[in-house]
Amino acid sequence: MKSIIIASTSTLHGGSYLEYLLPTLKQHFFNCKSILFIPFARPGGITHNEYTQKVAAEFATINIAVKGIHEFENAENAVKTAEGIFTGGGNTFLLVTQLYQQNIMQVLSETVKNGTPYLGTSAGSNICGLSMQTTNDMPIVYPPSFQTLGLIPFNLNPHYLDPEAQSKHMGETRETRIKEFHAFNSIPVLGLREGSWLEVKGRKITLKGDLSARLFLKNQNPEELATESDLSNLK
Amino acid sequence: MKSIIIASTSTLHGGSYLEYLLPTLKQHFFNCKSILFIPFARPGGITHNEYTQKVAAEFATINIAVKGIHEFENAENAVKTAEGIFTGGGNTFLLVTQLYQQNIMQVLSETVKNGTPYLGTSAGSNICGLSMQTTNDMPIVYPPSFQTLGLIPFNLNPHYLDPEAQSKHMGETRETRIKEFHAFNSIPVLGLREGSWLEVKGRKITLKGDLSARLFLKNQNPEELATESDLSNLK
């Protein structure tokens, strides 16, 4: 049975890394003595080791060991045999490029669909959708495809930002960007605000956290979904 | 001799479309009775016709006729025979995909390098650099390549935004995103604030408008360049 946490962000303003999620993660990974960490998104360009150490320090507080996928000789085996898997945030173009280059996009999808508990934050959440086409990130590398894990039957926009009424900036708002996506694609897009996450248990998808999320469907007005909404039928 | 205006934005807050640029454009296109408009970036998903009409209305005020490239049977010929060319803003992924699909990326580059006056705003400016990899846009379509016109020997980040000190949002700042680009690329990136533009005359590249621009070089601290700075040696 699928068991997945898909979080908008790893860190809330004023909080430390993963802090707000730790009670949830303790439950989510309760059967795991160790988890596999995928550091490929490399936020700010930090190394795989530096990123893995940061994650290991937090998971140590709930008594879970962390090993980075770059430490394994065979990445495919590392995914298949993991007790649990966490893909961290950073740049989604880089993450997706690496997953394809290391030939683990498909095995990661299959493994998580078969029940290995998964956590994604930010870029690691973006890849849970059908494609990475609603990411906010810069195209710093050219991925062989925009298709992603397809663990849920829609797309995500993590770190969703409401338009600022008083802004004098003329760049597109997040809502405008998603509207442009829908001029060429019909996949639903869920704007997940910082502090929200999706809980996937088998076929059930539930919105968690204190906030509402913003749902964008092609040719329809956006809709606010309250926390605890059931998204199982969204596709 | 190259003659190019590369503007951060088409529109300033409180102003109308192209308004702040019109005196500059009147001079820039002074030899042109008509210009070719490339509407492929389709902001907000509007049609090519709608976009072209909006542009034509503004250029009418300086007595220049506008024809959209989609109105021509042969796009390549339209580029080669244009008196002047304007590529408007919208989504850079869409624009670049269309330029490749219509097989005019190279001829557009050659034509402008040979002296046909060119104006770009936003996405239409992004493509003047070596690659589109420092765009802010969403990857709503998958382009065959990220390489662009290479009219200048560096990259641009239009609509450049300074970090907001009081922000509680945890998504990456523009500066962080450009730093991530430089973890994998060595091309200089110029953050062009709204109201700034580059004037290219032959080999001379000058920063115009009232504001300074922010220059990012790999492994160096960002630098503020005053308006009227000479960027001819940046590469």
Side-chain angles (χ1 to χ4, degrees), chain A residues 14-230:
Chain A
S16 63
Y17 187 65
L18 292 177
E19 188 181 9
Y20 79 103
L21 277 174
L22 279 179
T24 305
L25 298 184
K26 199 170 173 175
Q27 245 182 332
H28 184 61
F29 289 124
F30 84 106
N31 265 330
C32 306
K33 287 188 182 147
S34 73
I35 60 167
L36 177 72
F37 178 58
I38 301 179
F40 292 154
R42 294 181 55 184
I46 62 170
T47 67
H48 294 152
N49 272 339
E50 284 166 349
Y51 199 9
T52 304
Q53 280 160 18
K54 178 180 170 174
V55 170
E58 292 311 309
F59 274 89
T61 67
I62 55 172
N63 299 311
I64 295 175
V66 173
K67 203 164 171 185
I69 194 166
H70 61 290
E71 301 171 49
F72 291 82
E73 267 195 33
N74 186 320
E76 193 176 334
N77 261 347
V79 169
K80 280 183 181 165
T81 58
E83 293 176 57
I85 299 171
F86 170 31
T87 305
N91 185 289
T92 309
F93 289 85
L94 183 55
L95 171 60
V96 168
T97 302
Q98 288 284 309
L99 291 176
Y100 277 112
Q101 280 179 356
Q102 310 245 351
N103 205 24
I104 53 172
M105 184 66 89
Q106 202 184 336
V107 70
L108 180 58
S109 175
E110 285 165 3
T111 301
V112 178
K113 283 175 181 165
N114 285 335
T116 302
Y118 177 90
L119 165 67
T121 60
S122 192
S125 293
N126 234 319
I127 61 170
C128 294
L130 294 171
S131 82
M132 56 162 287
Q133 289 177 267
T134 47
T135 178
N136 312 308
D137 295 337
M138 244 181 207
I140 62 172
V141 293
Y142 184 69
S145 166
F146 285 162
Q147 300 307 300
T148 48
L149 298 172
L151 303 176
I152 52 174
F154 50 90
N155 267 13
L156 292 169
N157 180 251
H159 300 282
Y160 181 75
L161 258 187
D162 294 291
E164 281 179 54
Q166 73 280 23
S167 170
K168 293 183 175 173
H169 188 70
M170 301 302 287
E172 294 88 350
T173 64
R174 200 65 64 80
E175 190 159 322
T176 300
R177 292 172 194 279
I178 295 171
K179 188 181 165 203
E180 289 178 353
F181 173 76
H182 277 147
F184 297 90
N185 303 273
S186 56
I187 299 170
V189 179
L190 188 69
L192 212 51
R193 295 186 177 89
E194 295 178 347
S196 293
W197 68 93
L198 296 182
E199 176 194 88
V200 184
K201 291 285 182 195
R203 293 183 172 205
K204 189 153 190 208
I205 308 175
T206 313
L207 177 63
K208 295 286 182 178
D210 293 335
L211 306 170
S212 64
R214 197 157 178 87
L215 176 64
F216 300 87
L217 301 173
K218 187 182 172 89
N219 296 331
Q220 292 188 35
N221 287 326
E223 192 185 340
E224 285 293 320
L225 301 180
T227 184
E228 297 297 335
S229 285
D230 183 344

Side-chain angles (χ1 to χ4, degrees), chain B residues 91-229:
Chain B
N91 185 289
T92 309
F93 289 86
L94 185 55
L95 171 59
V96 168
T97 302
Q98 288 285 308
L99 291 177
Y100 277 111
Q101 280 179 356
Q102 309 244 354
N103 205 23
I104 52 172
M105 184 66 88
Q106 201 184 335
V107 71
L108 181 57
S109 175
E110 286 164 4
T111 302
V112 178
K113 283 175 182 167
N114 285 336
T116 302
Y118 178 90
L119 165 68
T121 60
S122 193
S125 293
N126 234 318
I127 61 170
C128 294
L130 294 171
S131 83
M132 56 163 286
Q133 289 178 266
T134 47
T135 176
N136 312 306
D137 294 336
M138 247 183 205
I140 62 172
V141 294
Y142 183 70
S145 166
F146 284 162
Q147 299 308 301
T148 47
L149 299 173
L151 304 176
I152 52 175
F154 50 90
N155 266 13
L156 292 168
N157 180 252
H159 300 283
Y160 181 74
L161 257 186
D162 294 289
E164 282 179 53
Q166 73 281 25
S167 172
K168 294 182 176 173
H169 188 69
M170 303 300 287
E172 294 88 351
T173 63
R174 200 64 64 78
E175 188 160 324
T176 301
R177 294 173 193 279
I178 295 171
K179 188 182 165 201
E180 289 177 353
F181 173 75
H182 276 148
F184 297 89
N185 303 274
S186 56
I187 300 170
V189 179
L190 187 69
L192 212 51
R193 295 187 177 90
E194 295 178 346
S196 293
W197 68 92
L198 296 182
E199 176 194 87
V200 184
K201 290 284 181 198
R203 292 179 172 209
K204 185 149 193 215
I205 308 176
T206 313
L207 177 63
K208 295 285 182 177
D210 293 334
L211 305 171
S212 63
R214 198 158 177 86
L215 176 63
F216 300 86
L217 300 174
K218 187 181 173 92
N219 296 332
Q220 293 188 34
N221 285 328
E223 191 184 341
E224 284 293 319
L225 302 181
T227 184
E228 298 295 336
S229 286

